[in-house]
Amino acid sequence: MGCLENDGGSPEILTIPPAVRHIVTIPYADLLVPKYSELRSRLLPLASRMAALSEESKMSLVDPASRFSFGWSHGNEMLRSGQPDVYKGSFYANPIVDVPTTDEALIERYPSYCRQNIWPREDLPELEPAFKELGRLMLDVGLLLAHHCSKFVSARKPDYEEGKLVRMLKSSKCHKGRLLHYFPASNRDTEEWEKGLASWCGWHFDHGSLTGLTRATYMKGKDQVPNPDPQSGLYIRDRLGTITKAVFAEDDIAYQMGEATEFHSGGLFRATLHCVQAARGEAAVGVDRNTFALFMQPQWDEPLILPEGHCDRTESHEVVNFGDFTNDRLNKYYGS
């Protein structure tokens, strides 16, 4: 995982390549990236307002045909316990293109990427421009990082297509933003969460190429408050099994590797195993959490060479396209 940093700071985030064990921090001034802080402050509070819409309004934004990958989703993902995840609600959209394709065969085969965006233009008109502007900025910054990832692989694999990661991500129509709202905890919730680390979001890999992450904001009612539990937040596990809390500053964008980059790099990069620990204790009661993730992903027809043991497939080095790989992954989250 790398971190792009606005001011100073010392993000405690593990780098993934085996030859690199330190944190890669790139000052925003070197990248000439404007407005990030403003865009983050504009978008994240809208997660609370989305969650507070009437049930009728939210249901009009639900798209089961996309495997809940567009619009509003709450209680549709399954936890490892087999129970529905009701602790958080999500709003999904492609920040780059509203209608990825009009090909009906593709829409039917890859609905999680090929269906169109659903925006609450009457109930929450501010959401669409704020979501698109932050998502596009995070994509642009991520492409700068992807350029260096490609150079890293090319230096070690002579047969690797030069600039492959940038080429795939720049032309893709599969990027997906996720605005997340973690609902306020009750006393009972915080007692239950004492039992395990992965209480807000279980251990998992992202299946795309790169995931850009904002630092979360915390709200109590209409007021922004500090994180009520310094131990809560994003945790990652490295290839040696060490668990680390991923700490980054308010004006940083963090990027973590997904499975597609692991496969395309032949294992030189490794997908980041991660979870989210809920805030615990009395101070956490009544406090909600908002954040935004941008999943940078290849086009649905981009081939992947899967190592043995992925996607319940038994053949090693099987070639499958990214869209079918995604369908396998979504079957685990939502059922077949």
Side-chain angles (χ1 to χ4, degrees), residues 87 184-195 279 281 285-286:
Y87 294 122
S186 66
N187 283 306
R188 181 177 179 181
D189 289 333
T190 58
E191 290 169 5
E192 285 294 313
W193 290 338
E194 294 288 345
K195 299 176 183 178
V285 175

Side-chain angles (χ1 to χ4, degrees), residues 290-302:
N290 298 327
T291 190
F292 179 73
L294 177 70
F295 302 103
M296 299 172 59
Q297 302 170 135
Q299 188 77 339
W300 49 77
D301 58 358
E302 188 70 41

Side-chain angles (χ1 to χ4, degrees), residues 141-151 165-166 169 210 296:
V141 176
L143 289 172
L144 298 175
L145 177 60
H147 168 73
H148 291 283
C149 292
S150 286
K151 287 178 64 176
L165 185 56
V166 176
L169 296 178
L210 287 170
M296 299 172 59

